[in-house]
Amino acid sequence: ASYSWSNGQTTQSIIANESGTYSVEIDWNGCNAEDEIEIEILPLPVVNLGDEITQCEGTNINLTTPEYEGASYSWSTGQSSQTIEASNSGIYSVEINWNGCTAEDEVQIEFLPLPLVNLGDDITQCAGTGINLTTTNYEGASYSWSTGQITQSINISESGIYSVEIDWNGCHAEDEIEIEILPLPVVNLGDEITLCEGTTSSLNAGNEGAACLWSNGQTTQSINITDGGSYSVEVNLNGCTSEDEVQVEFLPLPEFDLGNDIIHCRGIESFLEASHFEGATYTWSTGESEERILITEYGNYWCTAMIGSCAYTDSIAFIQPGYQCFEPFTAIWVPNAFTPDNDGTNDVFGVYGGGISNEHFELNIYNRWGVLIWSTNQPDMKWTGNADNGEHYVPDGVYSYFVKYRFDNMNDDKTLAGHVTLVK
């Protein structure tokens, strides 16, 4: 037999891949037969879910297929919509059935974990102790701080808002923190303090409103000091503390006494003497700087002794007596009465004059019976009315005296006798 198809082919069978009407005529031994058929080729649905997808956690991925009217969708998740959301890593596939024609595709999805960053709560801290801000270490991650630094951790010493952004495999996370650095209270008690005995000073910790605790237990901002030693204070301002200490030394005052005012005639040597103090300097009103000076003129005299910055001053007067004074080496004067009542005036009896030899002098006092009751061989020594070496004092009355003396510029002794009235 021979075969004749409408598309010109002559084989027993053909393949139809286009829509249309197909017919065939068969000739077998001269006998013919024919037939025809209508063929409709339906198009396959097209589906392409794309290449493998890598994305950071926290966002979903929409997977969608073309819309075919009347088509059915079958996803590996069990969903049957044209579009689904993928939120987990895995392989997602879909099969489309459109008029009995099917197509399918699949895609690999990987969700990368986000880096975690938590700088913690805001920080308030005192100056002087550094603050370290650090993030989790992710291999291969990059770090970007608001300070411009790119390390995993940074040190902070100033107040401000600090933030960091981490990039790990293209996934980002960030956080920020506010840091307040409180200043330390400034405490300065100064250098070592040297004061004079009898004076007071104060120490002030400053920082008004702060809590203060001194080494002596006081809690005021300032304290008075009257004793030497080491003083320290701790100051707490808004929870931040500072401390300081200072050494205080009290130097002794160089106190001395020049004695009572001097009342006698010029020509009699008079010495003024301040006490000896180790390391002291002396300044007299005369301009002299020794501990002991000789004065020969009437007037007021003073001396200042100084140890370090501690000074003490005393004064004395050299006063002309109320009786007549004689020039040295010419005459002596002996009062005829005195009143030993300790009122500072005319309290003693003695011989007055200049240039009397210390080696050739004798003054004797006798009672009315001629009994010796007091004597001296020192021209400057005066009788206060005492007798028997000071064991008692004589009563008011008239007493006799005898003086033997010599001037330094003479070679012979002179004598003088008389009476003196003692009235208390």
Side-chain angles (χ1 to χ4, degrees), residues 330-347:
T330 60
I332 64 171
W333 178 81
V334 180
N336 58 14
F338 74 109
T339 57
D341 54 6
N342 294 320
D343 65 353
T345 301
N346 201 26
D347 285 331

Side-chain angles (χ1 to χ4, degrees), residues 120-269:
D121 298 329
D122 293 342
I123 297 174
T124 299
Q125 188 165 305
C126 301
T129 56
I131 297 175
N132 180 267
L133 297 180
T134 187
T135 65
T136 306
N137 181 24
Y138 294 100
E139 186 175 355
S142 63
Y143 305 87
S144 178
W145 293 89
S146 53
T147 61
Q149 294 168 275
I150 56 173
T151 52
Q152 180 192 345
S153 62
I154 62 172
N155 291 319
I156 301 300
S157 59
E158 296 180 357
S159 298
I161 297 176
Y162 294 85
S163 62
V164 63
E165 182 180 11
I166 300 177
D167 183 339
W168 184 40
N169 297 323
C171 297
H172 298 261
E174 62 181 301
D175 193 21
E176 72 176 14
I177 187 173
E178 182 171 3
I179 293 177
E180 183 180 9
I181 304 294
L182 298 178
L184 293 175
V186 177
V187 185
N188 184 7
L189 298 179
D191 299 326
E192 181 176 332
I193 299 173
T194 301
L195 300 170
C196 303
E197 284 184 351
T199 63
T200 62
S201 185
S202 63
L203 297 176
N204 195 318
N207 302 281
E208 186 173 354
C212 302
L213 179 60
W214 294 87
S215 52
N216 62 5
Q218 292 181 264
T219 57
T220 52
Q221 181 181 329
S222 63
I223 61 171
N224 292 324
I225 52 174
T226 56
D227 298 311
S230 179
Y231 291 83
S232 64
V233 64
E234 181 182 79
V235 177
N236 187 316
L237 182 63
N238 299 320
C240 298
T241 60
S242 295
E243 60 183 73
D244 193 26
E245 69 175 350
V246 66
Q247 190 72 29
V248 178
E249 179 182 7
F250 279 86
L251 297 179
L253 275 180
E255 295 187 63
F256 61 94
D257 185 5
L258 293 179
N260 296 326
D261 291 343
I262 300 172
I263 305 175
H264 62 61
C265 298
R266 288 181 299 186
I268 301 176
E269 287 188 344

Side-chain angles (χ1 to χ4, degrees), residues 86-128:
S87 58
N88 297 310
S89 297
I91 298 175
Y92 290 80
S93 64
V94 63
E95 182 183 71
I96 301 176
N97 188 318
W98 184 38
N99 297 323
C101 298
T102 61
E104 62 181 292
D105 194 21
E106 68 179 13
V107 66
Q108 177 78 35
I109 294 178
E110 182 180 6
F111 281 94
L112 299 177
L114 290 173
L116 299 177
V117 55
N118 182 9
L119 297 178
D121 298 329
D122 293 342
I123 297 174
T124 299
Q125 188 165 305
C126 301

